[in-house]
């Protein structure tokens, strides 16, 4: 019966229902979908936001052993408490804290015994889960404690769901969180449940989950931010801005909402409004490199040139070697727009001195070499840029134009196709491909 079944399941999700393929190639009217030519993307393909969120920039473990055993707070971990000085009773030797040993010898802990004491069980679970990152033993303790409570304690159900989530058992975690919500409505439970739906690539279900939480906790900022993040992942910038505006209405000191709104206005050709948001961040006491860098760009595009270079100088004075790369790149772009090609070339080289893998800088240096008729050097820099970041369409298109100028039409066609695949809405790539196809079929180089 299954063999003869002619029904089939669609392999691709519907447009706007998946974070892996959030939108179609068409630009929606008023939706504010950022084009690749307007808003840059990271190396993972995510549109650049105005705020570094937890987990988006953290270093990934290189081995499976590190992924399983390394604590998330390994660099800042400290013992939960100090020795109490009391005498050690029989049967509690596993809780002895040796000077050069672990705070708790997990291999000697009897989880069934300690699960009967709610106070010790909860503290021990948090130690295992957050400090030791021992998810399996934490799950064993949570299961034993939940059984002692006759499965009526919502807190243990939430902890079971967190353990299942960390182990990748998302459906089991979903059942635990839903069962916990039936007993007690908590904001964290809604957030964890929504995170599970995001992992399962069900963003619309996650939004509905967050909205249910808002019905129980009206105006809760964390739930509003979670909805805004999902909309941003779906590239629905209109709804994202509405949610961040609601966040600022509830909490006008929220840094993430302020920064994301500033970034959105900047890439929507409204630098004057973005400038006000970045000044608001300075008023909130955030005086870091990123704020001054973005403030400089907003000032430049708002035609406040004196303030722009002052902000660039301030950002460079605060920047480390890694952070200075993006600042020198922005200075180079400003110099290019002003016609100072020598200073622009020097700025891009300083960018590469700070970060040798800066793909955008390689592309811009190649463009400057093209203007100086240094064809071979330009080709080399274009290839390097395309190799470092495969999601950039500019080096592919620029190399295609340069190859066409040199008469290498086959190479030009190949790179133009790659550019069109990365950015299907790029009209210049489409026009170049049309001319090359016309030439290949009719032999007319004018297309």
């Amino acid at each position: 019966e299954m063999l003869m079944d002619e029904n089939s399941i669609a392999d691709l999700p519907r447009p706007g229902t998946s974070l892996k393929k959030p939108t179609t190639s068409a630009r929606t009217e008023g939706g504010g979908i950022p084009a690749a030519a307007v808003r840059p993307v990271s190396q993972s393909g995510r549109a650049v936001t105005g705020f570094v969120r937890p987990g988006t920039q953290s270093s990934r473990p290189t081995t499976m052993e590190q992924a399983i055993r390394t604590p998330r707070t390994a660099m800042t971990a400290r013992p939960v408490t100090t020795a109490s000085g009391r005498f050690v009773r029989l049967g509690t030797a596993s809780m002895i804290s040796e000077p050069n040993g672990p705070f708790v010898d997990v291999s000697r802990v009897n989880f069934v015994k300690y699960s009967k004491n709610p106070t010790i069980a909860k503290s021990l679970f948090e130690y295992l889960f957050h400090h030791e990152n021992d998810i399996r033993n934490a799950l064993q303790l949570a299961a034993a404690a939940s059984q002692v409570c006759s499965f009526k304690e919502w807190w243990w159900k939430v902890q079971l769901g967190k353990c299942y989530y960390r182990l990748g058992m998302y459906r089991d975690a979903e059942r635990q969180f839903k069962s916990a919500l039936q007993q007690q409505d908590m904001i964290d439970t809604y957030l964890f449940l929504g995170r599970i739906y995001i992992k399962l690539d069900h963003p619309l279900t996650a939004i509905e989950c967050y909205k249910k939480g808002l019905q129980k906790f009206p105006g809760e900022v964390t739930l509003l931010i979670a909805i805004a993040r999902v909309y941003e992942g779906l590239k629905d910038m209109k709804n994202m801005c509405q949610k961040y505006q609601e966040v600022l209405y509830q909490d006008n000191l929220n840094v993430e909402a302020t920064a994301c709104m500033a970034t959105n206005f900047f890439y929507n050709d409204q630098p004057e409004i973005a400038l006000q948001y970045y000044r608001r961040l300075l008023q909130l006491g955030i005086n870091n490199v990123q704020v001054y860098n973005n403030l400089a760009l907003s000032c430049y595009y708002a035609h406040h040139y004196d303030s722009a270079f002052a902000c660039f100088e301030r950002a460079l004075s605060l920047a480390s070697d890694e952070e200075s790369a993006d600042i020198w790149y922005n200075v180079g772009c400003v110099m290019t727009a002003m016609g100072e090609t020598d200073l622009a070339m020097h700025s891009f080289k300083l960018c590469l001195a700070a970060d040798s893998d800066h793909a955008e800088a390689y592309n811009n240096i190649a463009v400057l070499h093209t203007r100086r008729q240094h064809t071979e050097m330009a080709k080399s820099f274009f290839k390097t840029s395309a190799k470092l970041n495969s999601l950039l369409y500019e080096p592919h298109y620029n190399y295609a134009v340069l190859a066409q100028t040199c008469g290498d039409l086959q190479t030009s066609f190949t790179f133009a196709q790659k550019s069109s695949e990365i950015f299907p809405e790029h009209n210049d790539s489409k026009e170049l491909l049309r001319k090359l196809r016309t030439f290949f079929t009719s032999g007319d180089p004018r297309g």
Side-chain angles (χ1 to χ4, degrees):
E1 185 175 331
M2 294 178 60
L3 181 63
M4 302 299 295
D5 188 6
E6 297 181 354
N7 297 321
S8 60
I9 299 176
D11 296 331
L12 298 176
R14 291 178 297 169
T17 62
S18 173
L19 294 173
K20 297 178 181 178
K21 192 175 181 180
T23 56
T24 59
S25 60
R27 187 182 179 91
T28 59
E29 184 69 25
I33 301 174
V38 178
R39 188 164 186 169
V41 296
S42 63
Q43 292 189 357
S44 61
R46 184 172 61 91
V48 173
T49 60
F51 193 82
V52 178
R53 294 176 184 134
T56 59
Q57 300 290 333
S58 59
S59 58
R60 302 295 182 184
T62 55
T63 62
M64 182 60 68
E65 184 68 20
Q66 292 178 355
I68 296 176
R69 297 295 301 174
T70 302
R72 293 191 298 174
T73 59
M75 301 301 295
T76 59
R78 60 179 178 84
V80 177
T81 182
T82 57
S84 61
R86 297 178 181 177
F87 294 101
V88 179
R89 298 187 301 272
L90 295 177
T92 61
S94 61
M95 293 294 183
I96 295 179
S97 179
E98 300 179 1
N100 297 324
F103 180 69
V104 175
D105 189 358
V106 180
S107 61
R108 301 176 61 180
V109 174
N110 186 349
F111 295 112
V112 177
K113 172 185 174 182
Y114 288 108
S115 64
K116 298 177 182 179
N117 189 328
T119 304
I120 297 180
K122 291 183 179 180
S123 300
L124 181 59
F125 174 85
E126 291 181 348
Y127 174 80
L128 293 174
F129 188 87
H130 296 289
H131 185 277
E132 292 296 322
N133 197 37
D134 194 346
I135 308 302
R136 288 178 294 181
N137 285 327
L139 177 62
Q140 182 180 352
L141 175 61
S146 181
Q147 188 174 4
V148 169
C149 299
S150 301
F151 307 101
K152 296 181 180 179
E153 179 62 40
W154 66 269
W155 192 87
W156 284 114
K157 292 183 179 180
V158 173
Q159 309 315 312
L160 282 171
K162 291 164 63 175
C163 292
Y164 286 134
Y165 174 81
R166 292 286 298 277
L167 294 174
M169 304 168 66
Y170 300 126
R171 290 302 182 186
D172 293 330
E174 178 188 5
R175 285 193 290 269
Q176 294 294 334
F177 289 135
K178 286 184 175 180
S179 178
L181 287 175
Q182 292 178 356
Q183 297 179 354
Q184 180 70 34
D185 289 318
M186 295 295 293
I187 298 174
D188 289 343
T189 310
Y190 284 107
L191 292 173
F192 276 112
L193 186 58
R195 194 180 301 175
I196 287 175
Y197 290 131
I198 292 175
K199 282 289 186 180
L200 295 173
D201 197 18
H202 296 161
L204 300 183
T205 308
I207 292 175
E208 291 298 324
C209 175
Y210 294 141
K211 288 182 178 179
K212 290 180 180 179
L214 286 174
Q215 293 176 359
K216 300 291 183 178
F217 304 94
E220 175 57 36
V221 172
T222 54
L223 294 173
L224 290 172
I225 290 178
I227 296 176
R229 290 176 179 178
V230 177
Y231 279 131
E232 193 170 30
L234 293 172
K235 297 185 179 180
D236 189 352
M237 298 303 170
K238 182 178 179 180
N239 286 322
M240 181 208 72
C241 289
Q242 292 178 353
K243 292 302 175 182
Y244 277 132
Q245 286 175 352
E246 292 182 24
V247 171
L248 293 176
Y249 180 78
Q250 299 292 335
D251 180 14
N252 57 6
L253 302 178
N254 189 275
V255 176
E256 179 177 350
T258 305
C260 290
M261 289 295 293
T263 304
N264 185 71
F265 280 118
F266 179 82
Y267 286 115
N268 283 333
D269 296 330
Q270 294 175 303
E272 296 85 0
I273 303 178
L275 186 60
Q276 297 178 4
Y277 279 97
Y278 285 126
R279 286 176 176 172
R280 175 61 176 169
L281 290 177
L282 289 178
Q283 293 174 357
L284 294 177
I286 304 175
N287 301 317
N288 55 23
V289 179
Q290 291 77 14
V291 172
Y292 280 107
N293 176 66
N294 296 341
L295 193 62
L297 290 175
S298 299
C299 288
Y300 173 76
Y301 286 104
H303 306 294
H304 301 166
Y305 301 116
D306 52 347
S307 301
F309 288 107
C311 291
F312 275 134
E313 291 178 359
R314 178 63 174 168
L316 287 172
S317 65
L318 297 174
S320 61
D321 291 339
E322 296 179 357
E323 295 170 334
S324 62
D326 288 332
I327 302 175
W328 283 117
Y329 171 77
N330 290 331
V331 172
C333 292
V334 170
M335 292 299 174
T336 303
M338 296 176 63
E340 299 288 344
T341 56
D342 293 334
L343 292 176
M345 178 70 76
H346 186 63
S347 299
F348 290 135
K349 288 182 179 180
L350 288 174
C351 171
L352 293 180
D355 182 8
S356 59
D357 293 334
H358 204 285
E360 293 85 353
Y362 280 105
N363 175 75
N364 290 7
I365 290 177
V367 172
L368 294 177
H369 280 302
T370 303
R371 294 181 180 180
R372 298 177 180 181
Q373 304 299 321
H374 300 164
T375 305
E376 295 303 323
M377 294 187 66
K379 288 183 179 180
S380 176
F381 278 103
F382 280 139
K383 288 182 179 179
T384 304
S385 176
K387 182 179 179 181
L388 289 175
N389 192 345
S390 60
L391 295 175
L392 283 179
Y393 77 94
E394 290 95 339
H396 295 93
Y397 172 74
N398 292 335
Y399 191 92
V401 173
L402 183 60
Q404 183 196 27
T405 305
C406 297
D408 190 356
L409 301 184
Q410 183 60 46
T411 303
S412 176
F413 183 79
T414 302
F415 276 86
Q417 279 187 322
K418 292 180 180 178
S419 174
S420 182
E421 291 175 0
I422 297 171
F423 184 18
E425 299 177 5
H426 192 224
N427 293 325
D428 293 336
S429 297
K430 295 179 181 179
E431 183 64 20
L432 181 58
L433 284 173
R434 187 191 65 79
K435 290 182 178 179
L436 292 174
R437 288 193 180 99
T438 303
F439 174 75
F440 290 149
T441 55
S442 63
D444 185 3
R446 296 172 297 178

